């Protein structure tokens, strides 16, 4: 299995989802080949919950990563699970138009560009 997908699976195993029981793992790859995993971490105040994708990207940035090539997202449901809107926006701002690999535990897999998931994205170019 691809190291990026394996890192997402490993991260999913560490998810903290006592309320939804919806375990999600993500892993992001840097331009120099480093991989950072992240999992969803729920809170009883749902608005404070952090998604796996943002956990992975924030961890990578905290470790000094600046350029990214792709992210993988895994959940254990038949329907492939894309990043939520907040994650799409954060990924766009920090990564640009990267590949987004969605997969599940049954072996289904799809690769999309972030621009397909977030058409006409808002970014810093609107702030000039």
């Amino acid at each position: 299995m691809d190291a990026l997908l394996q890192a997402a699976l490993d991260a999913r195993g560490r998810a903290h989802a006592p309320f939804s029981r919806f375990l999600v793992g993500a892993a992001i790859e840097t331009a120099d080949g480093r991989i950072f995993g992240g999992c969803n971490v729920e809170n009883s105040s749902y608005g404070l919950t952090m998604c796996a994708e943002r956990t992975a990207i924030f961890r990578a940035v905290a470790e000094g990563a600046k350029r990214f090539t792709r992210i993988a997202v895994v959940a254990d449901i038949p329907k492939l699970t894309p990043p939520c809107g907040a994650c799409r926006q954060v990924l766009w701002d920090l990564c640009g138009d990267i590949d987004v690999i969605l997969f599940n535990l049954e072996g289904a897999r799809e690769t999309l560009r972030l621009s397909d998931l977030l058409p006409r994205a808002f970014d810093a170019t609107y702030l000039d």
Side-chain angles (χ1 to χ4, degrees), residues 22-71:
F22 186 64
L23 308 178
V24 181
I28 191 156
E29 185 174 54
T30 65
D32 63 2
R34 291 181 294 158
I35 295 173
F36 297 88
C39 60
N40 58 320
V41 180
E42 291 182 352
N43 188 280
S44 60
S45 176
Y46 290 126
L48 300 178
T49 292
M50 183 60 62
C51 298
E53 299 90 334
R54 282 182 285 152
T55 300
I57 186 67
F58 291 161
R59 181 174 169 219
V61 169
E63 292 294 325
K66 297 192 184 305
R67 294 182 46 230
F68 305 92
T69 57
R70 58 192 185 139
I71 187 167

Side-chain angles (χ1 to χ4, degrees), residues 2 11 18 23 37 50 54 62 78-79 97 106 127:
D2 179 306
L23 308 178
M50 183 60 62
R54 282 182 285 152
K79 190 173 184 180
D97 195 16
E106 286 113 33
L127 303 176

